[in-house]
Amino acid sequence: DTGVSQNPRHKITKRGQNVTFRCDPISEHNRLYWYRQTLGQGPEFLTYFQNEAQLEKSRLLSDRFSAERPKGSFSTLEIQRTEQGDSAMYLCASSLNRGSYGYTFGSGTRLTVV
Amino acid sequence: DAKTTQPTSMDCAEGRAANLPCNHSTISGNEYVYWYRQIHSQGPQYIIHGLKNNETNEMASLIITEDRKSSTLILPHATLRDTAVYYCIVRVEQGGSEKLVFGKGMKLTVNP
């Protein structure tokens, strides 16, 4: 098991473009989370999936953001019409059974919007 | 909003125990306390978690006060590789959902 995998590690995009990030959780983990982290701040919760169901979306997740987890395995986070304020590290985490054994985070995707 | 407060930073000498404090005075009875750390440009790394009882694992010990309003993470023998930002976190469960609510964390610097 290689842990939580996120791709790409880095993404530079022009303002107004769409970007998509992928997260592959630990295989037996049924819960998946997306967080966003800006410089000097702790990660902020974006959204939560239990299997394929998206059970919570933060108000930080504007209508330009969409996340999916088809078949309850990998997940994608898409940002449409990117803005400079979207520049951040996007972290994915997964867990089994309400985090009884902790939540495992990936290394993140660093997005820079120019 | 974060439910925890931590000092902004702390220094510790290599080989000594590092005691990292955290206040969570508004924690609810069923909310767990988690500790994570983050080294620059990496994802947060799980350290330990607990509800009421003190916990110990190969990385650290977690001491939770009886009233659960504060806790202390103890790294028994700090090394230079323990230099990181440490987050004390409350896991919030609401309406069938759950999440970790991070604060700004505390920068621990272990000095030789």
Side-chain angles (χ1 to χ4, degrees):
Chain A
D1 188 352
T2 56
V4 177
S5 176
Q6 292 189 246
N7 288 288
R9 286 296 312 275
H10 303 275
K11 178 71 177 179
I12 300 174
T13 191
K14 291 184 178 180
R15 190 172 49 190
Q17 297 293 306
N18 299 344
V19 293
T20 299
F21 311 140
R22 178 179 170 122
C23 171
D24 287 273
I26 292 173
S27 56
E28 64 267 27
H29 284 187
N30 59 340
R31 299 167 189 232
L32 186 145
Y33 316 78
W34 284 97
Y35 287 80
R36 181 175 70 185
Q37 185 175 26
T38 54
L39 200 61
Q41 303 297 314
E44 298 173 290
F45 170 80
L46 291 178
T47 191
Y48 160 60
F49 289 87
Q50 186 170 328
N51 299 308
E52 65 275 10
Q54 188 174 22
L55 297 186
E56 185 176 356
K57 292 168 59 175
S58 164
R59 60 181 181 275
L60 294 175
L61 217 64
S62 75
D63 56 5
R64 296 186 297 107
F65 289 71
S66 62
E68 294 182 340
R69 194 184 181 198
K71 303 177 184 178
S73 55
F74 71 92
S75 176
T76 57
L77 178 67
E78 181 183 16
I79 309 174
Q80 296 182 326
R81 304 181 304 281
T82 53
E83 302 172 356
Q84 285 189 320
D86 297 332
S87 295
M89 174 78 84
Y90 291 84
L91 293 161
C92 175
S94 69
S95 75
L96 180 66
N97 296 337
R98 297 165 70 211
S100 301
Y101 304 101
Y103 299 77
T104 303
F105 280 81
S107 296
T109 294
R110 180 165 295 285
L111 173 67
T112 302
V113 182
V114 297
Chain B
D1 292 334
K3 299 186 76 170
T4 61
T5 55
Q6 300 174 254
T8 303
S9 63
M10 176 180 289
D11 282 22
C12 176
E14 187 179 18
R16 296 293 190 107
N19 297 302
L20 286 64
C22 179
N23 288 322
H24 31 80
S25 58
T26 61
I27 195 169
S28 298
N30 63 345
E31 292 177 338
Y32 281 74
V33 177
Y34 282 73
W35 282 83
Y36 277 74
R37 70 183 183 185
Q38 189 174 28
I39 298 168
H40 184 61
S41 296
Q42 296 183 18
Q45 177 192 23
Y46 170 78
I47 301 173
I48 200 166
H49 75 283
L51 181 63
K52 296 179 184 177
N53 300 322
N54 298 337
E55 302 289 342
T56 295
N57 63 21
E58 64 279 3
M59 288 183 70
S61 294
L62 175 61
I63 308 299
I64 302 175
T65 57
E66 194 170 340
D67 63 9
R68 300 211 327 121
K69 292 185 176 182
S70 65
S71 60
T72 301
L73 178 74
I74 301 172
L75 307 179
H77 305 286
T79 71
L80 299 179
R81 287 183 293 181
D82 291 325
T83 292
V85 176
Y86 286 76
Y87 293 98
C88 170
I89 303 155
V90 168
R91 188 187 76 194
V92 173
E93 295 188 36
Q94 194 172 20
S97 180
E98 51 157 309
K99 55 181 175 275
L100 299 177
V101 180
F102 286 77
K104 292 187 176 182
M106 186 197 79
K107 176 67 185 293
L108 173 69
T109 302
V110 181
N111 300 305

